[in-house]
Amino acid sequence: MNLVALLIGLGPLLGWGLFPTIASKFGGKPVHQIIGTTVGTLIFALVFAGLTAQHFPTGMNLMFALLSGAGWCFGQILTFKAFELIGSSRAMPVTTAFQLLGASLWGVFALGNWPGLSNKIIGFVALIVILIGARMTVWSEHPEEQNSGNLKKAVVILLIGEIGYWLYSAAPQATDIGGKAAFLPQAMGMVLVAVIYGLTMMKKDNPFKNKITWLQIISGFFFAFAALTYLISAQPDMNGLATGFILSQTSVVLATLTGIYFLNQRKTKKEMLITMVGLVLILAAATVTVFIK
């Protein structure tokens, strides 16, 4: 792995690692966060497409790319709702674990990954470890001081949101569209769903006239930077899919730590230790699932 490939591979660490913290720092409701984020992503995608003269897909390729972006937007709306309930530092490891589970199970049952009994046993043990790691990151030393109802509600919300994230990653696999070509129509699908969601919230509060909505465009730049660098990193002549994926998953560590220290989502020393062990388990198990042949 050369230095350039490594730096590009670490792009998602910064982009996806800082995105939830920045979005939470700007504040607002999920509707403000999702509109600003998707508009920022679209601006980034338009600039990239213009600079690189990317071919714009048509037909089924376009439809699945739009569906992919719409799925991400659905999942992210629910993730923002989970941030309201338990904070980004607790929600991010859980949603990362669910996304790893969803991607792995889809690969096994739909794409024929992990052939053979031994590979399946190793893979499913790794998935159990991922769940254990996620549970450790939300462990509380003083549960009586925590709202357990909020935690349960957030976990259910994140589990439902996984449907959207699954569409985001699975829909492009149904066509021969390349990741770079899909980037712009994915962003268009994101904005479409975000605008529809915003219109449904107009009676309560017009999100399109709120300053916070447009500040969240900056959050969108961070998400888009991560998504694009991951697409480049996963190419065979860079880091490849397996290594690129593992490098991108390190973002959960930065997202968790920045949420704790910059958003004042404090933990006790014992909670921090168990959280860090949980994050290590998630990353280690994710590495195992990627390299099972």
Side-chain angles (χ1 to χ4, degrees):
M1 183 188 300
N2 60 49
L3 180 60
V4 173
L6 177 61
L7 291 175
I8 292 175
L10 291 175
L13 164 64
L14 293 175
W16 284 332
L18 295 176
F19 163 60
T21 300
I22 293 172
S24 298
K25 192 69 175 178
F26 283 136
K29 299 177 181 177
V31 66
H32 306 127
Q33 294 170 321
I34 198 64
I35 293 173
T37 294
T38 55
V39 170
T41 301
L42 180 61
I43 293 171
F44 195 102
L46 284 168
V47 171
F48 172 73
L51 291 175
T52 59
Q54 289 293 317
H55 170 72
F56 192 78
T58 58
M60 293 298 290
N61 283 349
L62 175 59
M63 186 188 76
F64 278 103
L66 290 170
L67 182 63
S68 171
W72 178 89
C73 189
F74 171 77
Q76 191 60 45
I77 289 171
L78 294 183
T79 300
F80 281 142
K81 288 184 178 293
F83 287 178
E84 286 187 316
L85 293 171
I86 60 174
S88 62
S89 65
R90 302 183 85 196
M92 282 306 298
V94 176
T95 188
T96 298
F98 284 161
Q99 289 178 56
L100 288 169
L101 286 171
S104 298
L105 292 175
W106 171 250
V108 172
F109 293 111
L111 304 179
N113 294 345
W114 303 354
L117 180 60
S118 59
N119 284 338
K120 284 183 171 62
I121 291 174
I122 294 171
F124 282 108
V125 168
L127 295 184
I128 293 172
V129 172
I130 287 173
L131 287 176
I132 293 172
R135 180 64 184 88
M136 292 175 70
T137 64
V138 296
W139 177 80
S140 175
E141 186 175 4
H142 305 290
E144 67 278 1
E145 298 177 5
Q146 301 291 332
N147 190 330
S148 60
N150 277 359
L151 177 58
K152 292 177 182 177
K153 188 183 298 183
V155 170
V156 172
I157 287 173
L158 291 171
L159 187 58
I160 297 172
E162 169 54 25
I163 298 171
Y165 289 133
W166 167 78
L167 272 175
Y168 175 59
S169 59
Q173 296 175 9
T175 67
D176 57 355
I177 186 174
K180 292 181 181 179
F183 190 43
L184 178 56
Q186 279 177 333
M188 294 169 63
M190 294 174 188
V191 170
L192 179 62
V193 173
V195 169
I196 293 172
Y197 178 56
L199 292 174
T200 65
M201 304 295 288
M202 288 278 284
K203 292 182 180 179
K204 296 181 181 179
D205 171 31
N206 188 342
F208 301 100
K209 292 183 178 181
N210 194 309
K211 179 182 177 181
I212 295 176
T213 297
W214 307 114
L215 279 175
Q216 291 287 358
I217 288 176
I218 299 173
S219 305
F221 291 157
F222 279 84
F223 168 79
F225 171 76
L228 180 60
T229 51
Y230 171 65
L231 290 174
I232 296 173
S233 171
Q235 293 183 69
D237 60 342
M238 295 298 290
N239 296 306
L241 183 60
T243 303
F245 177 79
I246 294 168
L247 289 172
S248 73
Q249 294 308 300
T250 58
S251 61
V252 68
V253 177
L254 184 60
T256 302
L257 295 180
T258 54
I260 291 170
Y261 292 111
F262 291 103
L263 300 178
N264 202 31
Q265 298 171 4
R266 295 297 181 178
K267 293 176 178 281
T268 66
K269 290 183 178 180
K270 187 177 291 186
E271 287 171 347
M272 273 298 298
L273 175 61
I274 293 178
T275 294
M276 294 307 298
V277 173
L279 291 172
V280 170
L281 288 178
I282 291 173
L283 292 176
T287 303
V288 170
T289 63
V290 169
F291 286 104
I292 297 175
K293 299 300 182 180

